[in-house]
Amino acid sequence: DTEVTQTPKHLVMGMTNKKSLKCEQHMGHRAMYWYKQKAKKPPELMFVYSYEKLSINESVPSRFSPECPNSSLLNLHLHALQPEDSALYLCASSQETGSQGTQYFGPGTRLLVL
Amino acid sequence: AQTVTQSQPEMSVQEAETVTLSCTYDTSENNYYLFWYKQPPSRQMILVIRQEAYKQQNATENRFSVNFQKAAKSFSLKISDSQLGDTAMYFCAFEYGQNFVFGPGTRLSVLP
């Protein structure tokens, strides 16, 4: 099973709302990732978790707060977002970080901030 | 820092024909991974093919094959017998350590 699931599929939120994106994988992978993808652009790495510890934060604003409750779950908490944060948010997982290869992507959450 | 370049923003090919997508990258590392990912319109990003830099043999997956030229830092994707379902955005990607970098993408349209 090479499936990464993400919920919700679509999310509309106001700039004062607090919401969370969820990602789950059951492949036994120990690395999980959040990406942001704008239309017609490649994904941009936001965060990397390795063995449930945050290992990379690509200078993401604090209104995005990741959380890794266990090895299968990855959340992205959203608060006080701006309209320019509207994008497709992709979660991915891989066996390990560090040149271990393939990342498997979820279908994404399409976020619209009003 | 590693960079990945895809010089063809858009390409089209007739169904059943062959098309080659270009990718070049810049790195000072010796052992790394290269990937081609496919993202159909409004659909999930999926892996097409991967290549370990220490392997000289070019990777193949059914109708998809790569031409990996390590010295030239080139990693092109050949799609044979193109099918309508191959219509998608194709991203070349590079991985070394925790550094995973995507190219800007090539939008491929397969025409009936």
Side-chain angles (χ1 to χ4, degrees):
Chain A
D1 182 9
T2 56
E3 190 178 60
V4 177
T5 58
Q6 290 186 245
T7 56
K9 289 186 179 177
H10 302 274
L11 180 62
V12 180
M13 61 186 290
M15 288 189 283
T16 59
N17 292 157
K18 285 186 183 181
K19 296 285 184 184
S20 297
L21 310 185
K22 296 186 185 302
C23 174
E24 191 167 4
Q25 58 87 14
H26 294 288
M27 295 178 277
H29 289 173
R30 302 317 299 263
M32 296 185 78
Y33 311 78
W34 279 116
Y35 288 88
K36 174 182 177 181
Q37 186 179 24
K38 297 285 245 184
K40 299 185 181 180
K41 296 291 186 183
E44 298 173 16
L45 184 64
M46 300 174 71
F47 301 104
V48 179
Y49 271 83
S50 179
Y51 287 85
E52 299 157 52
K53 286 188 168 49
L54 183 64
S55 60
I56 290 183
N57 175 342
E58 292 285 358
S59 303
V60 178
S62 60
R63 56 186 185 268
F64 294 92
S65 174
E67 179 198 17
C68 190
N70 60 56
S71 60
S72 300
L73 292 173
L74 185 66
N75 299 322
L76 186 63
H77 303 297
L78 314 173
H79 174 54
L81 293 194
Q82 303 296 310
E84 60 264 29
D85 296 323
S86 298
L88 180 68
Y89 287 85
L90 294 169
C91 174
S93 72
S94 66
Q95 231 173 358
E96 307 255 346
T97 59
S99 293
Q100 293 298 316
T102 309
Q103 292 190 19
Y104 295 90
F105 285 82
T109 293
R110 195 164 295 281
L111 174 67
L112 178 61
V113 182
L114 300 175
Chain B
Q2 286 81 9
T3 59
V4 178
T5 302
Q6 293 177 248
S7 59
Q8 305 146 316
E10 294 191 25
M11 294 188 74
S12 62
V13 62
Q14 291 294 136
E15 196 175 4
E17 297 293 308
T18 295
V19 64
T20 298
L21 309 184
S22 301
C23 172
T24 58
Y25 58 95
D26 187 25
T27 184
S28 58
E29 305 298 339
N30 192 43
N31 291 321
Y32 48 85
Y33 287 77
L34 294 163
F35 306 86
W36 280 98
Y37 280 89
K38 166 186 175 181
Q39 190 175 35
S42 300
R43 291 184 62 191
Q44 197 157 342
M45 178 104 66
I46 59 173
L47 177 72
V48 175
I49 200 165
R50 91 176 207 171
Q51 174 83 41
E52 293 91 338
Y54 61 85
K55 288 188 178 178
Q56 292 187 340
Q57 188 171 6
N58 289 324
T60 62
E61 284 289 341
N62 301 316
R63 298 182 295 108
F64 299 89
S65 61
V66 298
N67 183 1
F68 174 47
Q69 302 289 328
K70 191 172 183 179
K73 297 179 184 173
S74 170
F75 183 61
S76 61
L77 174 70
K78 186 170 86 169
I79 306 174
S80 305
D81 186 26
S82 297
Q83 300 176 359
L84 296 178
D86 295 333
T87 291
M89 196 76 170
Y90 286 81
F91 293 103
C92 179
F94 170 99
E95 190 209 23
Y96 177 79
Q98 294 191 348
N99 192 4
F100 200 95
V101 179
F102 283 92
T106 295
R107 184 171 301 279
L108 177 67
S109 298
V110 180
L111 308 173

